[in-house]
Amino acid sequence: MLWLLPLALTEARAAGPLRAFYDDPPQCVVVLAGPAEAGIVAGERISGALARQLSGRVAKVIQPTERRRLERAMAVDLHHPADARHFAAATRCSAFLRWRIVGAGQENVLVWSQKHIQLAAEIIRARDGTMLWRARAEASRNSGDVPLSLFSLPLAVLRSAAFQTDDDTVASMLDDLARRILASLPDLR
């Protein structure tokens, strides 16, 4: 059963919708939780960015906060196939978007800083675990420059340090990443 295969084993093929997607396109998708920490950002922020972008392509999206509330109310664990099928039937939501972090990190070299994150995602059908769509994308941001004189050195260091603590940069990067990863998903609205 494909449901039980880890995401890493299924991502070797090209990105985009698969034949099963066109046979029975999902009208509702539940965004599953990923890892709690992604190195540079909390996993829930990634789930939220994916859900926001997904809602522009699918008629109904069960957002991460709603999914958590329903999981607690129904006492289910969406990592178990039987619970996932029960959840899907109760919510009338036939597909799940699951994702994982392929790579994430940040580098800081006194006058230059970079943050990067790479994700793999797939949409699977709840009733049998059939993969419907898959993609992989990455996003990065950097700041800093080579100081041309001793006077510009402190400014370059300050700019690099400010970039490392700027949360808006991470939010922008996550939205770009979610947009890129869902670019190959056809509009189902």
Side-chain angles (χ1 to χ4, degrees), residues 41-42 45-46 49 117 169-179:
V41 66
R45 289 184 66 190
I46 296 171
I117 189 164
T169 301
V170 173
S172 169
M173 189 171 63
L174 290 179
D175 284 338
D176 284 352
L177 179 61
R179 197 173 17 262

Side-chain angles (χ1 to χ4, degrees), residues 3-87:
W3 181 271
L4 301 175
L5 288 178
L7 188 60
L9 295 178
T10 61
E11 67 181 85
R13 295 179 228 124
L18 304 172
R19 170 174 270 150
F21 178 89
Y22 296 109
D23 294 341
D24 184 19
Q27 296 304 307
C28 177
V29 178
V30 178
V31 179
L32 296 175
E37 270 303 311
I40 61 171
V41 66
E44 280 302 313
R45 289 184 66 190
I46 296 171
S47 292
L50 288 168
R52 277 192 305 279
Q53 294 300 320
L54 188 60
S55 65
R57 296 189 176 270
V58 179
K60 181 182 174 190
V61 175
I62 295 183
Q63 304 281 334
T65 53
E66 178 70 6
R67 182 206 70 239
R68 279 193 314 272
R69 186 187 68 73
L70 290 169
E71 279 179 299
R72 281 192 305 268
M74 297 169 67
V76 294
D77 180 0
L78 295 181
H79 291 98
H80 291 90
D83 284 358
R85 285 190 297 273
H86 172 69
F87 182 90

Side-chain angles (χ1 to χ4, degrees), residues 152-183:
S152 63
L153 180 63
L155 183 60
V157 170
L158 286 173
R159 203 175 293 149
S160 176
F163 175 79
Q164 282 297 319
T165 60
D166 185 9
D167 195 48
D168 288 342
T169 301
V170 173
S172 169
M173 189 171 63
L174 290 179
D175 284 338
D176 284 352
L177 179 61
R179 197 173 17 262
R180 286 179 190 154
I181 208 162
L182 293 168

